[in-house]
């Protein structure tokens, strides 16, 4: 008696369906394996110390001014931890940072801090561009003036900055709002605004109490790219 074996032969269409399904599974597996990891880093943030007024610090956080003290709660992910004479310790998104007057820091999602070559200046309540910086390492409040040929300051400012203008300066005369005034041409060793520093900057010291703020003129600004965007002015280093 012959024993027969039945062969269950799959139809051709079934084989094709199985092949297509395996290819789809394999493709999906390969895509998962080779897909690049997503970059979940937070976008760069800019925190600038613009001034220290007693127990409060004037900060520029992502283009918005914030007047904050140690007692204040966190604003825009920033909290003030300590205020010293020329520096402020802050907490930015959980990480501690130390800011000095005029310094500009960009904080990324990986919390790498770098000095920026771009300075952002906002208009004050009088519609003028005002910022802080330093001259020869001493803090200064600047008023940006593209109409001034050089950095200009009063004799009172010069004395505070220990600039011996009457001895080292060259006598001259300048035109002011009240007429012609005696002045002295001097050269400043270092002028800093944010992350931008320039050396041997021409300046004039005007006898008397004018101007009220040190004018940041073209002897400094002329070396930079200046962009205006609404109430914001951007200063960038030229390369």
């Amino acid at each position: 008696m012959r024993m027969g074996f039945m062969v269950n032969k799959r139809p051709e269409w079934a084989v094709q369906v199985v092949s297509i399904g395996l290819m789809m599974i394999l493709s999906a597996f390969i895509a998962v394996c080779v897909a690049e990891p997503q970059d979940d880093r937070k976008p760069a943030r800019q925190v600038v110390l613009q001034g220290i007024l007693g127990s409060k610090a004037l900060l520029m956080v992502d283009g918005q001014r914030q007047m904050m003290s140690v007692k204040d709660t966190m604003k825009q992910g920033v909290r003030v931890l300590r205020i010293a004479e020329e520096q402020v310790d802050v907490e930015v998104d959980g990480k501690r940072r130390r800011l000095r007057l005029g310094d500009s820091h960009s904080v990324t999602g990986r919390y790498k801090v770098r000095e920026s070559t771009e300075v952002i200046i906002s208009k004050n309540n009088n519609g003028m561009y005002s910022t802080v910086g330093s001259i020869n390492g001493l803090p200064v409040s600047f008023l940006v003036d593209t109409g001034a040929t050089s950095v200009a300051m009063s004799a009172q400012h010069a004395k505070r900055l220990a600039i011996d203008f009457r001895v080292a300066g060259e006598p001259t005369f300048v035109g002011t709002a009240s007429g012609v005034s005696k002045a002295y041409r001097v050269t400043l060793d270092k002028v800093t605004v944010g992350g931008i520093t320039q050396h041997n900057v021409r300046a004039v010291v005007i006898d008397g109490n004018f101007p009220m703020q040190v004018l940041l003129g073209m002897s400094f600004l002329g070396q930079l790219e200046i962009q205006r965007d609404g109430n914001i002015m951007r200063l960038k280093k030229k390369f």
Side-chain angles (χ1 to χ4, degrees):
M1 183 176 178
R2 295 180 61 185
M3 298 291 294
F5 293 90
M6 295 183 62
V7 178
N8 188 10
K9 193 173 182 180
R10 289 185 179 180
E12 185 177 350
W13 65 267
V15 176
Q16 292 177 348
V17 171
V18 172
S19 299
I20 294 173
L22 288 174
M23 289 177 64
M24 293 177 64
I25 294 173
L26 183 60
S27 298
F29 176 74
I30 293 174
V32 171
C33 291
V34 302
E36 295 183 356
Q38 295 294 320
D39 188 355
D40 58 354
R41 289 177 297 175
K42 297 179 181 179
R45 305 189 59 197
Q46 187 178 64
V47 182
V48 183
L49 176 61
Q50 290 199 320
I52 298 175
L53 305 175
S55 62
K56 293 189 176 183
L58 178 59
L59 301 175
M60 179 73 75
V61 182
D62 296 335
Q64 296 184 8
R65 282 184 173 176
Q66 298 285 358
M67 183 71 76
M68 301 177 64
S69 68
V70 176
K71 298 179 181 180
D72 291 337
T73 57
M74 185 172 291
K75 298 178 181 179
Q76 294 182 257
V78 177
R79 185 163 64 93
V80 174
L81 303 176
R82 186 177 73 92
I83 298 178
E85 185 176 353
E86 296 183 16
Q87 65 188 31
V88 172
D89 291 340
V90 298
E91 179 184 323
V92 182
D93 293 338
K95 295 293 181 177
R96 184 167 181 153
R97 297 285 176 256
R98 175 162 292 176
L99 303 177
R100 297 182 183 277
L101 277 172
D103 282 354
S104 175
H105 291 83
S106 291
V107 184
T108 68
R110 294 182 179 177
Y111 304 107
K112 291 182 180 179
V113 178
R114 64 176 178 84
E115 203 172 23
S116 175
T117 56
E118 177 182 279
V119 177
I120 299 176
I121 303 175
S122 299
K123 285 185 178 180
N124 58 22
N125 294 333
N126 297 321
M128 307 294 289
Y129 293 101
S130 180
T131 188
V132 293
S134 65
I135 292 178
N136 298 341
L138 297 175
V140 171
S141 175
F142 286 112
L143 186 67
V144 179
D145 188 353
T146 56
T149 56
S150 65
V151 173
M153 69 184 74
S154 69
Q156 298 297 323
H157 292 135
K159 290 177 182 177
R160 185 180 70 82
L161 296 170
I163 298 174
D164 194 358
F165 60 94
R166 297 188 188 278
V167 174
E170 177 186 349
T172 186
F173 291 91
V174 297
T176 67
S178 57
V180 178
S181 300
K182 188 175 181 179
Y184 297 84
R185 292 193 183 97
V186 297
T187 300
L188 306 175
D189 293 336
K190 183 172 68 172
V191 178
T192 299
V193 177
I196 300 175
T197 297
Q198 294 185 30
H199 297 273
N200 300 321
V201 179
R202 290 181 292 105
V204 293
V205 178
I206 304 172
D207 255 341
N209 298 322
F210 178 85
M212 299 300 293
Q213 275 183 281
V214 177
L215 302 181
L216 192 64
M218 294 306 292
S219 59
F220 181 90
L221 298 173
Q223 309 303 314
L224 308 175
E225 294 180 3
I226 304 175
Q227 298 178 354
R228 291 183 177 86
D229 183 11
N231 292 328
I232 297 296
M233 174 182 286
R234 300 176 187 273
L235 305 181
K236 296 182 180 180
K237 282 185 178 179
K238 292 181 179 179
F239 295 99

